[in-house]
């Protein structure tokens, strides 16, 4: 038995099931980098629940506040992950989610390098930790939509999620979002209702809006030419929050659209195309 399969057998053998409620998993077979969710009925309001996602790389823990719980299938997942519902420290439900492998392309781009002075490096560091702290917060559900709304009307992808970035002939990182090609000034819409937690100019992503939809789910809209919302605003799904542009590190007009669940990046294209939220 290989190392990965041994890991999953060990986890399942140590589970003691006792949950009497009904649990529905949206997809029991998911792709790497996808968003998934559980519907958990009959939660005891007096008990504390956590959803864990076990992989051979480690564990993700997600607080459970209501019957709808989003969770990520990590980008580096292999073969399968195990989803556990933990009640007051005890695993009461467990399910194996098979993970389909997928091929990610190589993306080569050329951008004008900006001089990184000490001041610029300090700014980059500050913005990095700001984003990390934002995405770790889990708040109550703020949306009522059943499907994700396309942020631009015409979905013409120039760079997909998961592409391996080579910038100015140097290998950098993974492209953690989807780039939609669109002319400058194209309206950008919120994908779900939520609260604006950032509306600012960032070094890499330029004019950027981040929306907290609750339950640990966030969307990010980058390289905008204009922003129409401000931090603290509550907006509806489909509301125009800004216009497409080419601010920050960008090779031309487009919308960079990102989706995060507790800081874990998932593929927005899969969510827009496949997810119907039942609750």
């Amino acid at each position: 038995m290989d190392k990965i399969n041994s890991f999953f057998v060990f986890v399942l053998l140590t589970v003691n099931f006792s949950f009497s409620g009904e649990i529905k998993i949206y997809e029991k077979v998911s792709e790497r980098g996808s968003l998934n969710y559980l519907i958990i009925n009959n939660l005891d309001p007096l008990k504390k629940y956590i959803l864990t996602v076990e992989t051979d790389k480690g564990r993700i823990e997600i607080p459970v506040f209501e019957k709808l719980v989003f969770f990520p299938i990590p980008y580096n997942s292999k073969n399968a992950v195990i989803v556990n519902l933990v009640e007051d420290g005890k695993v009461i439900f467990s399910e194996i989610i098979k993970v389909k492998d997928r091929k990610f392309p190589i993306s080569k781009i050329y951008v004008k390098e900006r001089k990184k002075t000490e001041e610029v490096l300090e700014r980059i560091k500050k913005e990095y930790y700001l984003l990390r702290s934002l995405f770790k917060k889990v708040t109550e559900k703020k949306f009522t939509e059943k499907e994700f709304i396309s942020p631009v009307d015409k979905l013409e992808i120039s760079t997909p999620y998961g592409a391996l970035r080579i910038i100015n002939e140097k290998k950098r990182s993974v492209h953690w979002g989807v780039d939609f090609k669109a002319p400058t000034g194209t309206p950008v819409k919120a994908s779900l209702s939520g609260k604006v937690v950032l509306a600012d100019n960032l070094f890499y992503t330029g004019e950027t809006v981040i929306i907290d939809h609750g339950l640990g789910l966030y969307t990010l809209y980058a390289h905008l030419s204009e922003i129409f919302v401000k931090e603290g605003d509550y907006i509806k799904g489909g509301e125009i929050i800004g216009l497409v542009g080419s601010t920050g590190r960008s090779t031309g007009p487009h919308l960079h659209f990102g989706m995060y669940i507790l800081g874990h990046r998932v593929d927005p294209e899969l969510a827009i195309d496949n997810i119907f939220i039942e609750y």
Side-chain angles (χ1 to χ4, degrees), residues 164-179:
L164 305 177
R165 277 289 203 198
I166 296 177
I167 302 175
N168 297 342
E169 301 294 344
K170 294 181 180 179
K171 186 178 179 181
R172 297 296 174 93
S173 63
V174 174
H175 186 247
W176 295 121
V178 176
D179 285 350

Side-chain angles (χ1 to χ4, degrees), residues 84-250:
N84 297 317
L85 181 62
V86 181
E87 178 189 79
D88 288 343
K90 179 182 177 182
V91 177
I92 57 171
F93 172 86
S94 190
E95 182 77 41
I96 292 178
I97 307 291
K98 293 182 180 180
V99 178
K100 293 191 294 184
D101 197 10
R102 55 191 297 203
K103 302 296 182 182
F104 297 103
I106 294 175
S107 171
K108 294 184 179 182
I109 63 171
Y110 296 87
V111 297
K112 183 179 179 180
E113 293 285 3
R114 290 178 284 175
K115 188 175 182 181
K116 293 180 181 177
T117 63
E118 287 189 17
E119 182 180 0
V120 169
L121 291 173
E122 184 60 30
R123 176 189 176 187
I124 292 171
K125 180 180 177 181
K126 182 179 179 181
E127 292 174 356
Y128 170 77
Y129 284 109
L130 170 64
L131 295 181
R132 285 191 62 183
S133 65
L134 281 179
F135 293 139
K136 284 183 178 179
K137 296 176 182 176
V138 182
T139 61
E140 74 283 353
K141 181 166 67 68
K142 297 176 172 62
F143 64 91
T144 56
E145 296 87 1
K146 297 295 182 82
E147 295 178 283
F148 290 93
I149 298 166
S150 301
V152 289
D153 289 336
K154 185 179 180 181
L155 298 182
E156 184 179 353
I157 296 175
S158 55
T159 306
Y161 167 93
L164 305 177
R165 277 289 203 198
I166 296 177
I167 302 175
N168 297 342
E169 301 294 344
K170 294 181 180 179
K171 186 178 179 181
R172 297 296 174 93
S173 63
V174 174
H175 186 247
W176 295 121
V178 176
D179 285 350
F180 294 117
K181 189 185 301 183
T184 297
T186 301
V188 175
K189 297 175 288 187
S191 193
L192 291 175
S193 300
K195 179 183 177 182
V196 177
V197 292
L198 184 140
D200 205 352
N201 183 281
L202 303 183
F203 182 81
Y204 284 119
T205 55
E207 298 294 329
T208 304
V209 172
I210 297 176
I211 301 174
D212 173 13
H213 306 290
L215 307 182
L217 179 68
Y218 293 80
T219 50
L220 176 149
Y221 311 78
H223 306 302
L224 304 176
S225 60
E226 290 188 57
I227 294 174
F228 296 155
V229 295
K230 62 183 184 301
E231 185 178 326
D233 285 351
Y234 281 86
I235 49 85
K236 295 180 180 179
E239 185 175 336
I240 296 174
I241 58 173
L243 303 176
V244 167
S246 186
T247 55
R249 185 167 69 180
S250 172

Side-chain angles (χ1 to χ4, degrees), residues 52-66:
T52 69
V53 181
E54 307 275 356
T55 79
D56 61 318
K57 304 292 184 182
R59 169 186 293 183
I60 299 169
E61 295 189 354
I62 302 169
V64 177
F65 291 114
E66 60 172 71

